[in-house]
Amino acid sequence: MTTLVVVRKGDSVAIAADSLTTFGDTRLAAEHDRTYDKIVRYRDTYIGLCGSAAHQLVFESLLAKHGDLDFTHKSAIFETFRKLHPILKEQHFLNPKEEEDDPYESTQITALIANGNGIFGVFSMREVFEYTQFWAAGSGREFALGAMHACFAQTQTAEAVAKTGIEAGAKFDRNSALPMTLYMLPLTKP
């Protein structure tokens, strides 16, 4: 799994991720993985993915082939993931089944998004949330959320809050580890 965080503070946003990949009980640490960054860039947007390791390659392929994707606000992100869902099924062989009583097919993707417009989260039924301060995803999310909550008021920058979240996830979650990757962006929308 992973620890992903997004933070909005002052006039900037940050997105960060740990670097560990796990396959059951096997750990692939950053020192053995040439491409350990779990955050992909699409224009001026950074997207952190957690869940299956396959999501990274699939999403990089989607972003390269579809130049008209919009991640600028909550409803645009929803429409983007709605548009991508049939492509995920038809071209990438996504298994959209989770639970028998789910109201919708799943994309099987959990993602955190950061850009100049803010910070967002996308979950498997294409639920999209816009966050005002910070959020975390992945197996280390509870540790990251607690750490970021504890330091947010006293910490000066989005970068410092994000680092605290990832460090807590890496310290206490067995499926997360350092080093981290972190990207900062100026906030263009107040």
Side-chain angles (χ1 to χ4, degrees):
M1 293 301 283
T2 193
T3 303
L4 293 174
V5 302
V6 287
V7 180
R8 177 180 178 153
K9 186 155 178 119
D11 61 355
S12 64
V13 297
I15 185 169
D18 81 298
S19 57
L20 181 66
T21 299
T22 57
F23 308 97
D25 290 333
T26 304
R27 297 165 45 99
L28 176 61
E31 67 187 272
H32 300 290
D33 186 354
R34 188 176 296 267
T35 56
Y36 62 82
D37 192 349
K38 298 175 182 179
I39 301 170
V40 296
R41 183 176 181 180
Y42 179 78
R43 298 182 181 160
D44 293 331
T45 295
Y46 290 89
I47 304 162
L49 299 159
C50 60
S52 172
H55 292 333
Q56 185 92 12
L57 289 171
V58 167
F59 221 77
E60 287 172 353
S61 173
L62 288 170
L63 295 175
K65 292 178 182 174
H66 300 277
D68 57 343
L69 303 177
D70 187 351
F71 297 99
T72 58
H73 57 279
K74 184 177 177 176
S75 61
I77 294 167
F78 170 78
E79 289 300 329
T80 293
F81 274 82
R82 188 182 63 75
K83 175 182 174 180
L84 291 176
H85 187 71
I87 297 167
L88 285 167
K89 286 176 24 179
E90 294 164 14
Q91 295 178 19
H92 298 278
F93 311 105
L94 170 75
N95 177 5
K97 196 88 168 144
E98 279 190 20
E99 302 295 324
E100 195 63 40
D101 59 349
D102 281 344
Y104 300 99
E105 289 182 343
S106 172
T107 63
Q108 306 285 353
I109 293 173
T110 298
L112 294 180
I113 298 170
N115 59 43
N117 295 306
I119 56 175
F120 308 88
V122 181
F123 299 90
S124 63
M125 302 287 166
R126 290 160 301 286
E127 309 101 314
V128 179
F129 296 90
E130 182 173 5
Y131 305 110
T132 58
Q133 297 178 336
F134 57 84
W135 199 251
S139 57
R141 72 186 167 280
E142 287 100 355
F143 305 114
L145 285 169
M148 292 187 298
H149 173 73
C151 80
F152 189 82
Q154 308 89 291
T155 306
Q156 297 290 17
T157 66
E159 178 181 21
V161 176
K163 282 182 179 179
T164 299
I166 295 298
E167 287 169 353
K171 182 75 169 179
F172 297 105
D173 174 45
R174 68 184 178 117
N175 293 309
S176 299
L178 297 176
M180 76 178 78
T181 53
L182 186 141
Y183 299 93
M184 295 285 301
L185 294 135
L187 194 58
T188 57
K189 178 176 120 179

